């Protein structure tokens, strides 16, 4: 195997390894709640906030 | 009223800053500007598209040189990809960024400058392409001075996206933000590398690559432009605006993250599927084919995520006018991402490439997936920032049905046309001679091209309804702080 072919092989395996690592990280049961939390928080970003001026907020 | 509004802007505590963001008082004018620019370029691009469709049926409309098919076609594609879609992406990105990071834009002045420069650049781009200044590389036709402007614009956008992300007050990033980052990075890399050229005059340059390498780099760019412009940011919008408009959290955030990383890993290898059965080395074609088929999985992960989000709430398809757009949009994305990879299979590519099937495929993506999602996102955003409901739900529904029927008529007709065309090109007599001349295949296309024109007209009517409805929705609601602030600003100006 030439050094160039070896480099391609290592690069490919490295990418596959990183990809597998990402999947394992996100599908780890321990992290389930933490990984899913943003989908609930994003729904709250338009919630009405207290109006410091005391008047009712419109729009 | 103006004083009261001012009081809200000058405070520096967190609540006031939140209000400034959520009450439509500061950066919403930038979002509104990009959204209306997007609609303007959409209308221009579609008028040119209609003219092109008419030229196919009535060749005498080829009024050379300025209105010849060869020139108009690139104005159509560039106008819609860079004018309509990018402006829509900028509008939705700035809106989502502020909401998802709970942080105002890092550099609002820069975003405002970007809005002006963007519109000037698109107008100059259209003029230069009308005038025949063209690198001849598909979707990278702009000559080098405008390429530099595009890069400057992208840097302005990237600085705001990254700057806001760095300052964000929401630690965990929702999947839409990941897709925005991918869009920013990928467009920068592929656009710059593919457009490297040696200028020979102000209006002419030659690619630094040659022959097969040039073709390979070009389609590495070409396909990733599809990923970066028509996939990543549109998925970002889908993942943000579907939950926001329904109040339903996305079915699985981790599935969306896996879909994101899989797309990022897979997309960059697929460009050569545009060059099947060409002199490009066969192993590169095979790698592109393999990764194209691989991409079905992450694409459908998003489709499944969207459908499961609606699980038990399908009645919202009837009661919420926006849901139809998002669900049909993601359905077309799903169909598109089955059709695309299968077209890469050599046997099918041999039959379908260079036929009308390919524009049929592309237009399902652009007219179905991209436009459905962007227009629905704009309805949602505009209603929020103007402080009123959408001007007319009835008009939004008419818009939906017109673009759905128009798009299906357009695309299905072209698929059938492509299959007929491919079959005619390859049909042989028992002695091995060609059964049809090329002109026979052209003549056979006329009925299909006529139906395509009708589909395009229906589609344009739907978009005209959308433009009117969105404009009416975009006007500030009388009596709100937003309108008071707008009035105060215009008075000051």
């Amino acid at each position: 195997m030439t050094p160039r072919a070896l480099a391609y092989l290592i690069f490919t395996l490295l990418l596959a390894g990183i990809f597998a690592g990402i999947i394992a990280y996100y599908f780890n049961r321990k992290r389930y709640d933490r990984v899913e939390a943003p989908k609930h928080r994003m729904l709250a970003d338009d919630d009405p906030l207290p109006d410091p001026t005391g008047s009712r907020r419109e729009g | 009223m103006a004083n009261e509004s001012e009081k809200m802007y000058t405070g520096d505590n967190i609540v006031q800053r939140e209000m400034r963001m959520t009450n439509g008082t500061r950066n919403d004018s930038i979002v509104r500007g990009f959204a209306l620019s997007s609609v303007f370029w959409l209308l221009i691009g579609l008028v040119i598209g209609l003219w092109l469709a008419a030229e196919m049926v009535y060749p005498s409309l080829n009024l050379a040189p300025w209105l010849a098919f060869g020139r108009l076609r690139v104005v159509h594609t560039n106008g819609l990809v860079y004018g309509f879609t990018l402006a829509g992406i900028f509008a939705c990105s700035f809106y989502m960024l502020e909401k998802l990071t709970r942080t105002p834009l890092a550099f609002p002045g820069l975003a405002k400058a970007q809005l002006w420069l963007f519109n000037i650049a698109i107008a100059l781009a259209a003029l230069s392409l009308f005038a025949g200044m063209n690198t001849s590389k598909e979707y990278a036709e702009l000559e080098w001075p405008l390429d530099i402007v595009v890069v400057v614009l992208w840097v302005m956008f990237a600085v705001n996206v990254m700057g806001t992300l760095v300052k964000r007050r929401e630690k965990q990033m929702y999947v839409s933000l990941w897709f925005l980052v991918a869009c920013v990075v990928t467009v920068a890399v592929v656009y710059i590398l593919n457009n490297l050229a040696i200028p020979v005059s102000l209006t002419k340059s030659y690619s630094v690559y040659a022959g097969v390498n040039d073709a390979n780099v070009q389609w590495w760019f070409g396909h990733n432009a599809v990923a970066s412009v028509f996939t990543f940011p549109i998925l970002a919008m889908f993942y943000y605006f579907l939950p926001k408009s329904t109040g339903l959290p996305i079915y699985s955030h981790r599935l969306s993250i896996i879909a994101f990383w899989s797309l990022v890993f897979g997309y960059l290898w697929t460009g050569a599927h545009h060059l099947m059965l060409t002199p490009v080395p066969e192993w590169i074609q095979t790698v592109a084919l393999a990764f194209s088929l691989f991409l079905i999985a992450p694409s459908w992960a998003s489709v499944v995520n969207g459908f499961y989000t609606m699980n038990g709430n399908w009645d919202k398809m009837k009661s919420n006018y926006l849901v139809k757009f998002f669900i049909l949009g993601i359905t077309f994305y799903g169909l598109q991402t089955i059709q695309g990879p299968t077209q890469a299979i050599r046997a099918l590519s041999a039959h379908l490439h260079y036929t009308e099937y390919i524009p049929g495929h592309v237009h399902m993506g652009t007219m179905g997936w991209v436009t459905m999602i962007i227009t629905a996102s704009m309805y949602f955003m505009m209603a929020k920032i103007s402080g009123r409901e959408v001007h007319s739900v009835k008009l939004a529904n008419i818009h939906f049905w017109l673009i759905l029927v128009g798009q299906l008529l357009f695309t299905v007709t072209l698929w059938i046309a492509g299959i007929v065309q491919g079959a005619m090109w390859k049909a042989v007599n028992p002695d091995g001679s060609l059964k049809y001349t090329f002109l026979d295949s052209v003549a056979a296309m006329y009925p299909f091209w006529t139906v395509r024109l009708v589909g395009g007209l229906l589609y344009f009517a739907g978009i005209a309804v959308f433009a009117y409805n969105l404009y009416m929705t975009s006007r500030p609601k009388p009596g709100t702080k937003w309108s008071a602030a707008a009035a105060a600003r215009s008075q000051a100006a």
Side-chain angles (χ1 to χ4, degrees), chain B residues 404-426:
Chain B
L404 178 65
V405 174
Q407 182 261 125
L408 285 174
L409 205 56
F410 189 114
T411 54
V412 175
T413 303
L414 287 189
W415 300 339
I416 299 168
I419 293 166
V420 170
Q421 207 175 17
M424 288 181 80
W425 289 346
K426 286 175 181 58

PDB file of all heavy atoms in Angstrom, chain B residues 404-426:
ATOM      1  N   LEU B 404     -49.460  24.662  -5.444  1.00  0.00           N
ATOM      2  CA  LEU B 404     -49.401  23.186  -5.416  1.00  0.00           C
ATOM      3  C   LEU B 404     -49.800  22.616  -6.783  1.00  0.00           C
ATOM      4  O   LEU B 404     -49.070  21.803  -7.365  1.00  0.00           O
ATOM      5  CB  LEU B 404     -50.325  22.644  -4.317  1.00  0.00           C
ATOM      6  CG  LEU B 404     -50.393  21.124  -4.225  1.00  0.00           C
ATOM      7  CD1 LEU B 404     -49.043  20.540  -3.820  1.00  0.00           C
ATOM      8  CD2 LEU B 404     -51.464  20.669  -3.244  1.00  0.00           C
ATOM      9  N   VAL B 405     -50.933  23.063  -7.299  1.00  0.00           N
ATOM     10  CA  VAL B 405     -51.411  22.533  -8.587  1.00  0.00           C
ATOM     11  C   VAL B 405     -50.445  22.946  -9.709  1.00  0.00           C
ATOM     12  O   VAL B 405     -50.083  22.129 -10.568  1.00  0.00           O
ATOM     13  CB  VAL B 405     -52.850  23.023  -8.876  1.00  0.00           C
ATOM     14  CG1 VAL B 405     -53.298  22.610 -10.265  1.00  0.00           C
ATOM     15  CG2 VAL B 405     -53.810  22.473  -7.826  1.00  0.00           C
ATOM     16  N   GLY B 406     -50.009  24.209  -9.685  1.00  0.00           N
ATOM     17  CA  GLY B 406     -49.075  24.692 -10.710  1.00  0.00           C
ATOM     18  C   GLY B 406     -47.791  23.890 -10.721  1.00  0.00           C
ATOM     19  O   GLY B 406     -47.298  23.471 -11.771  1.00  0.00           O
ATOM     20  N   GLN B 407     -47.267  23.653  -9.524  1.00  0.00           N
ATOM     21  CA  GLN B 407     -46.001  22.916  -9.415  1.00  0.00           C
ATOM     22  C   GLN B 407     -46.147  21.474  -9.893  1.00  0.00           C
ATOM     23  O   GLN B 407     -45.294  20.957 -10.628  1.00  0.00           O
ATOM     24  CB  GLN B 407     -45.525  22.969  -7.966  1.00  0.00           C
ATOM     25  CG  GLN B 407     -44.195  22.301  -7.691  1.00  0.00           C
ATOM     26  CD  GLN B 407     -44.329  20.911  -7.126  1.00  0.00           C
ATOM     27  OE1 GLN B 407     -43.789  19.953  -7.663  1.00  0.00           O
ATOM     28  NE2 GLN B 407     -45.074  20.771  -6.047  1.00  0.00           N
ATOM     29  N   LEU B 408     -47.243  20.814  -9.489  1.00  0.00           N
ATOM     30  CA  LEU B 408     -47.424  19.412  -9.892  1.00  0.00           C
ATOM     31  C   LEU B 408     -47.607  19.299 -11.411  1.00  0.00           C
ATOM     32  O   LEU B 408     -47.035  18.411 -12.056  1.00  0.00           O
ATOM     33  CB  LEU B 408     -48.633  18.810  -9.159  1.00  0.00           C
ATOM     34  CG  LEU B 408     -48.395  18.487  -7.683  1.00  0.00           C
ATOM     35  CD1 LEU B 408     -49.677  18.040  -7.008  1.00  0.00           C
ATOM     36  CD2 LEU B 408     -47.317  17.412  -7.522  1.00  0.00           C
ATOM     37  N   LEU B 409     -48.394  20.222 -11.950  1.00  0.00           N
ATOM     38  CA  LEU B 409     -48.605  20.216 -13.406  1.00  0.00           C
ATOM     39  C   LEU B 409     -47.262  20.384 -14.127  1.00  0.00           C
ATOM     40  O   LEU B 409     -46.955  19.692 -15.101  1.00  0.00           O
ATOM     41  CB  LEU B 409     -49.533  21.387 -13.755  1.00  0.00           C
ATOM     42  CG  LEU B 409     -50.368  21.290 -15.020  1.00  0.00           C
ATOM     43  CD1 LEU B 409     -51.223  20.043 -14.999  1.00  0.00           C
ATOM     44  CD2 LEU B 409     -51.271  22.527 -15.141  1.00  0.00           C
ATOM     45  N   PHE B 410     -46.467  21.311 -13.622  1.00  0.00           N
ATOM     46  CA  PHE B 410     -45.169  21.623 -14.204  1.00  0.00           C
ATOM     47  C   PHE B 410     -44.213  20.424 -14.116  1.00  0.00           C
ATOM     48  O   PHE B 410     -43.654  19.974 -15.116  1.00  0.00           O
ATOM     49  CB  PHE B 410     -44.599  22.817 -13.416  1.00  0.00           C
ATOM     50  CG  PHE B 410     -43.358  23.446 -13.961  1.00  0.00           C
ATOM     51  CD1 PHE B 410     -43.386  24.747 -14.453  1.00  0.00           C
ATOM     52  CD2 PHE B 410     -42.147  22.776 -13.962  1.00  0.00           C
ATOM     53  CE1 PHE B 410     -42.241  25.355 -14.942  1.00  0.00           C
ATOM     54  CE2 PHE B 410     -41.006  23.374 -14.446  1.00  0.00           C
ATOM     55  CZ  PHE B 410     -41.045  24.662 -14.930  1.00  0.00           C
ATOM     56  N   THR B 411     -44.058  19.888 -12.904  1.00  0.00           N
ATOM     57  CA  THR B 411     -43.011  18.883 -12.706  1.00  0.00           C
ATOM     58  C   THR B 411     -43.391  17.515 -13.265  1.00  0.00           C
ATOM     59  O   THR B 411     -42.576  16.877 -13.929  1.00  0.00           O
ATOM     60  CB  THR B 411     -42.649  18.750 -11.219  1.00  0.00           C
ATOM     61  OG1 THR B 411     -43.836  18.500 -10.469  1.00  0.00           O
ATOM     62  CG2 THR B 411     -42.021  20.008 -10.681  1.00  0.00           C
ATOM     63  N   VAL B 412     -44.631  17.085 -13.005  1.00  0.00           N
ATOM     64  CA  VAL B 412     -45.020  15.747 -13.483  1.00  0.00           C
ATOM     65  C   VAL B 412     -44.960  15.720 -15.010  1.00  0.00           C
ATOM     66  O   VAL B 412     -44.517  14.737 -15.622  1.00  0.00           O
ATOM     67  CB  VAL B 412     -46.427  15.367 -12.950  1.00  0.00           C
ATOM     68  CG1 VAL B 412     -46.886  14.043 -13.548  1.00  0.00           C
ATOM     69  CG2 VAL B 412     -46.404  15.276 -11.430  1.00  0.00           C
ATOM     70  N   THR B 413     -45.375  16.824 -15.637  1.00  0.00           N
ATOM     71  CA  THR B 413     -45.324  16.899 -17.099  1.00  0.00           C
ATOM     72  C   THR B 413     -43.886  16.754 -17.595  1.00  0.00           C
ATOM     73  O   THR B 413     -43.619  16.034 -18.569  1.00  0.00           O
ATOM     74  CB  THR B 413     -45.892  18.263 -17.563  1.00  0.00           C
ATOM     75  OG1 THR B 413     -47.203  18.383 -17.065  1.00  0.00           O
ATOM     76  CG2 THR B 413     -45.899  18.382 -19.070  1.00  0.00           C
ATOM     77  N   LEU B 414     -42.965  17.423 -16.904  1.00  0.00           N
ATOM     78  CA  LEU B 414     -41.569  17.340 -17.352  1.00  0.00           C
ATOM     79  C   LEU B 414     -40.961  15.959 -17.105  1.00  0.00           C
ATOM     80  O   LEU B 414     -40.103  15.507 -17.866  1.00  0.00           O
ATOM     81  CB  LEU B 414     -40.729  18.427 -16.673  1.00  0.00           C
ATOM     82  CG  LEU B 414     -40.952  19.856 -17.178  1.00  0.00           C
ATOM     83  CD1 LEU B 414     -39.926  20.805 -16.596  1.00  0.00           C
ATOM     84  CD2 LEU B 414     -40.916  19.943 -18.695  1.00  0.00           C
ATOM     85  N   TRP B 415     -41.383  15.274 -16.036  1.00  0.00           N
ATOM     86  CA  TRP B 415     -40.875  13.907 -15.835  1.00  0.00           C
ATOM     87  C   TRP B 415     -41.300  13.025 -17.010  1.00  0.00           C
ATOM     88  O   TRP B 415     -40.491  12.280 -17.557  1.00  0.00           O
ATOM     89  CB  TRP B 415     -41.427  13.283 -14.541  1.00  0.00           C
ATOM     90  CG  TRP B 415     -41.081  14.018 -13.287  1.00  0.00           C
ATOM     91  CD1 TRP B 415     -40.045  14.907 -13.104  1.00  0.00           C
ATOM     92  CD2 TRP B 415     -41.775  13.964 -12.039  1.00  0.00           C
ATOM     93  NE1 TRP B 415     -40.052  15.388 -11.827  1.00  0.00           N
ATOM     94  CE2 TRP B 415     -41.101  14.829 -11.143  1.00  0.00           C
ATOM     95  CE3 TRP B 415     -42.883  13.261 -11.576  1.00  0.00           C
ATOM     96  CZ2 TRP B 415     -41.514  15.002  -9.823  1.00  0.00           C
ATOM     97  CZ3 TRP B 415     -43.290  13.434 -10.258  1.00  0.00           C
ATOM     98  CH2 TRP B 415     -42.612  14.294  -9.396  1.00  0.00           C
ATOM     99  N   ILE B 416     -42.587  13.122 -17.350  1.00  0.00           N
ATOM    100  CA  ILE B 416     -43.083  12.286 -18.460  1.00  0.00           C
ATOM    101  C   ILE B 416     -42.354  12.684 -19.753  1.00  0.00           C
ATOM    102  O   ILE B 416     -41.910  11.817 -20.515  1.00  0.00           O
ATOM    103  CB  ILE B 416     -44.611  12.450 -18.626  1.00  0.00           C
ATOM    104  CG1 ILE B 416     -45.312  11.998 -17.341  1.00  0.00           C
ATOM    105  CG2 ILE B 416     -45.129  11.644 -19.814  1.00  0.00           C
ATOM    106  CD1 ILE B 416     -46.787  12.371 -17.273  1.00  0.00           C
ATOM    107  N   ALA B 417     -42.208  14.009 -19.941  1.00  0.00           N
ATOM    108  CA  ALA B 417     -41.513  14.477 -21.149  1.00  0.00           C
ATOM    109  C   ALA B 417     -40.104  13.912 -21.217  1.00  0.00           C
ATOM    110  O   ALA B 417     -39.631  13.472 -22.275  1.00  0.00           O
ATOM    111  CB  ALA B 417     -41.463  16.004 -21.154  1.00  0.00           C
ATOM    112  N   GLY B 418     -39.422  13.892 -20.066  1.00  0.00           N
ATOM    113  CA  GLY B 418     -38.036  13.405 -20.022  1.00  0.00           C
ATOM    114  C   GLY B 418     -37.947  11.925 -20.363  1.00  0.00           C
ATOM    115  O   GLY B 418     -37.046  11.491 -21.090  1.00  0.00           O
ATOM    116  N   ILE B 419     -38.893  11.148 -19.850  1.00  0.00           N
ATOM    117  CA  ILE B 419     -38.887   9.703 -20.135  1.00  0.00           C
ATOM    118  C   ILE B 419     -39.136   9.473 -21.625  1.00  0.00           C
ATOM    119  O   ILE B 419     -38.466   8.662 -22.274  1.00  0.00           O
ATOM    120  CB  ILE B 419     -39.940   8.990 -19.253  1.00  0.00           C
ATOM    121  CG1 ILE B 419     -39.511   9.075 -17.780  1.00  0.00           C
ATOM    122  CG2 ILE B 419     -40.110   7.543 -19.679  1.00  0.00           C
ATOM    123  CD1 ILE B 419     -40.594   8.707 -16.789  1.00  0.00           C
ATOM    124  N   VAL B 420     -40.094  10.233 -22.179  1.00  0.00           N
ATOM    125  CA  VAL B 420     -40.382  10.117 -23.622  1.00  0.00           C
ATOM    126  C   VAL B 420     -39.146  10.515 -24.435  1.00  0.00           C
ATOM    127  O   VAL B 420     -38.727   9.811 -25.368  1.00  0.00           O
ATOM    128  CB  VAL B 420     -41.585  11.023 -23.996  1.00  0.00           C
ATOM    129  CG1 VAL B 420     -41.752  11.118 -25.509  1.00  0.00           C
ATOM    130  CG2 VAL B 420     -42.860  10.504 -23.351  1.00  0.00           C
ATOM    131  N   GLN B 421     -38.547  11.638 -24.046  1.00  0.00           N
ATOM    132  CA  GLN B 421     -37.385  12.152 -24.768  1.00  0.00           C
ATOM    133  C   GLN B 421     -36.225  11.130 -24.753  1.00  0.00           C
ATOM    134  O   GLN B 421     -35.637  10.815 -25.798  1.00  0.00           O
ATOM    135  CB  GLN B 421     -36.939  13.435 -24.065  1.00  0.00           C
ATOM    136  CG  GLN B 421     -36.224  14.434 -24.926  1.00  0.00           C
ATOM    137  CD  GLN B 421     -35.946  15.726 -24.146  1.00  0.00           C
ATOM    138  OE1 GLN B 421     -36.005  15.760 -22.918  1.00  0.00           O
ATOM    139  NE2 GLN B 421     -35.653  16.770 -24.870  1.00  0.00           N
ATOM    140  N   GLY B 422     -35.929  10.609 -23.526  1.00  0.00           N
ATOM    141  CA  GLY B 422     -34.841   9.633 -23.394  1.00  0.00           C
ATOM    142  C   GLY B 422     -35.107   8.396 -24.228  1.00  0.00           C
ATOM    143  O   GLY B 422     -34.207   7.843 -24.882  1.00  0.00           O
ATOM    144  N   ALA B 423     -36.374   7.937 -24.207  1.00  0.00           N
ATOM    145  CA  ALA B 423     -36.730   6.730 -24.971  1.00  0.00           C
ATOM    146  C   ALA B 423     -36.568   6.975 -26.472  1.00  0.00           C
ATOM    147  O   ALA B 423     -36.083   6.103 -27.212  1.00  0.00           O
ATOM    148  CB  ALA B 423     -38.171   6.336 -24.649  1.00  0.00           C
ATOM    149  N   MET B 424     -36.953   8.173 -26.917  1.00  0.00           N
ATOM    150  CA  MET B 424     -36.841   8.475 -28.360  1.00  0.00           C
ATOM    151  C   MET B 424     -35.373   8.545 -28.794  1.00  0.00           C
ATOM    152  O   MET B 424     -35.011   8.106 -29.880  1.00  0.00           O
ATOM    153  CB  MET B 424     -37.551   9.795 -28.686  1.00  0.00           C
ATOM    154  CG  MET B 424     -39.061   9.692 -28.632  1.00  0.00           C
ATOM    155  SD  MET B 424     -39.893  11.227 -29.047  1.00  0.00           S
ATOM    156  CE  MET B 424     -39.826  11.192 -30.848  1.00  0.00           C
ATOM    157  N   TRP B 425     -34.525   9.102 -27.942  1.00  0.00           N
ATOM    158  CA  TRP B 425     -33.098   9.218 -28.297  1.00  0.00           C
ATOM    159  C   TRP B 425     -32.436   7.846 -28.420  1.00  0.00           C
ATOM    160  O   TRP B 425     -31.488   7.665 -29.156  1.00  0.00           O
ATOM    161  CB  TRP B 425     -32.348  10.021 -27.237  1.00  0.00           C
ATOM    162  CG  TRP B 425     -32.664  11.493 -27.225  1.00  0.00           C
ATOM    163  CD1 TRP B 425     -33.319  12.201 -28.196  1.00  0.00           C
ATOM    164  CD2 TRP B 425     -32.350  12.434 -26.200  1.00  0.00           C
ATOM    165  NE1 TRP B 425     -33.429  13.515 -27.837  1.00  0.00           N
ATOM    166  CE2 TRP B 425     -32.839  13.703 -26.613  1.00  0.00           C
ATOM    167  CE3 TRP B 425     -31.703  12.347 -24.958  1.00  0.00           C
ATOM    168  CZ2 TRP B 425     -32.693  14.858 -25.839  1.00  0.00           C
ATOM    169  CZ3 TRP B 425     -31.568  13.496 -24.196  1.00  0.00           C
ATOM    170  CH2 TRP B 425     -32.055  14.737 -24.633  1.00  0.00           C
ATOM    171  N   LYS B 426     -32.963   6.903 -27.632  1.00  0.00           N
ATOM    172  CA  LYS B 426     -32.286   5.599 -27.590  1.00  0.00           C
ATOM    173  C   LYS B 426     -32.974   4.533 -28.432  1.00  0.00           C
ATOM    174  O   LYS B 426     -32.458   3.420 -28.576  1.00  0.00           O
ATOM    175  CB  LYS B 426     -32.165   5.145 -26.141  1.00  0.00           C
ATOM    176  CG  LYS B 426     -31.082   5.951 -25.438  1.00  0.00           C
ATOM    177  CD  LYS B 426     -30.958   5.671 -23.983  1.00  0.00           C
ATOM    178  CE  LYS B 426     -29.868   6.540 -23.407  1.00  0.00           C
ATOM    179  NZ  LYS B 426     -30.111   7.986 -23.603  1.00  0.00           N
TER     180      LYS B 426
END
